[in-house]
């Protein structure tokens, strides 16, 4: 059974960089054909795909966030990370990591999800 667990600070100040790590167990992030994504849900809004990293290491980003987003991985730790720069209160959300066989899919196309972590942006 694949498990994903997000970790990182729950509070970030405006203009700073938000950094989150997703630790994967029960399966390798380099296993062929899987994509590992970051998805967020602001309060009262729907899910938003932010970007992801493929089993090959290739990265993909949402056009609306591309200028502020960086996703990387550490295969030795079976982790992938999200960095979101220049955050504002509008980046307050529950952040999820998830796995799918497509780059950017609808929620049903993700077979494993982390539990989510609340990140608030406030001074």
């Amino acid at each position: 059974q694949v498990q994903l667990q997000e970790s990182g600070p729950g509070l970030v100040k405006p203009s700073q960089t938000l950094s989150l790590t997703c630790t994967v167990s029960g399966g390798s992030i380099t296993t062929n054909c899987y994509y590992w994504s970051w998805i967020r849900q602001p309060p009262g809004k729907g899910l938003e795909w932010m970007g992801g990293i493929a089993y090959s290491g290739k990265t993909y980003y949402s056009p609306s966030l591309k200028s502020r987003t960086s996703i990387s991985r550490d295969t030795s730790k079976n982790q992938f990370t999200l960095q979101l720069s220049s955050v504002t209160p509008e980046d307050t959300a529950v952040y999820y990591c998830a796995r799918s066989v497509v780059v950017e899919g609808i929620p049903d196309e993700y077979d494993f999800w982390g539990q989510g972590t609340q990140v608030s942006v406030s001074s």
Side-chain angles (χ1 to χ4, degrees):
Q1 179 83 349
V2 175
Q3 293 184 316
L4 295 87
Q5 178 67 59
E6 304 91 349
S7 60
L11 180 64
V12 183
K13 295 183 188 289
S15 81
Q16 292 187 340
T17 296
L18 179 163
S19 294
L20 295 174
T21 296
C22 183
T23 301
V24 179
S25 59
S28 172
I29 61 173
T30 61
T31 298
N32 213 14
C33 296
Y34 287 115
Y35 298 83
W36 305 86
S37 291
W38 286 99
I39 298 162
R40 68 180 181 179
Q41 185 167 30
K45 298 185 179 180
L47 294 168
E48 178 185 21
W49 180 78
M50 301 180 69
I53 188 163
Y55 57 95
S56 62
K58 184 175 182 179
T59 52
Y60 303 83
Y61 298 104
S62 166
S64 64
L65 295 170
K66 184 176 183 178
S67 64
R68 298 196 292 132
T69 307
S70 177
I71 296 173
S72 60
R73 67 181 186 176
D74 184 336
T75 57
S76 68
K77 296 180 180 179
N78 215 34
Q79 296 175 332
F80 61 105
T81 62
L82 168 73
Q83 291 193 311
L84 182 67
S85 63
S86 304
V87 297
T88 72
E90 292 183 344
D91 293 309
T92 294
V94 177
Y95 286 76
Y96 299 93
C97 54
R99 188 187 82 167
S100 71
V101 294
V102 295
V103 172
E104 177 188 1
I106 60 174
D108 283 352
E109 292 179 308
Y110 294 89
D111 57 356
F112 291 102
W113 293 72
Q115 65 183 21
T117 186
Q118 172 71 47
V119 178
S120 298
V121 179
S122 175
S123 55

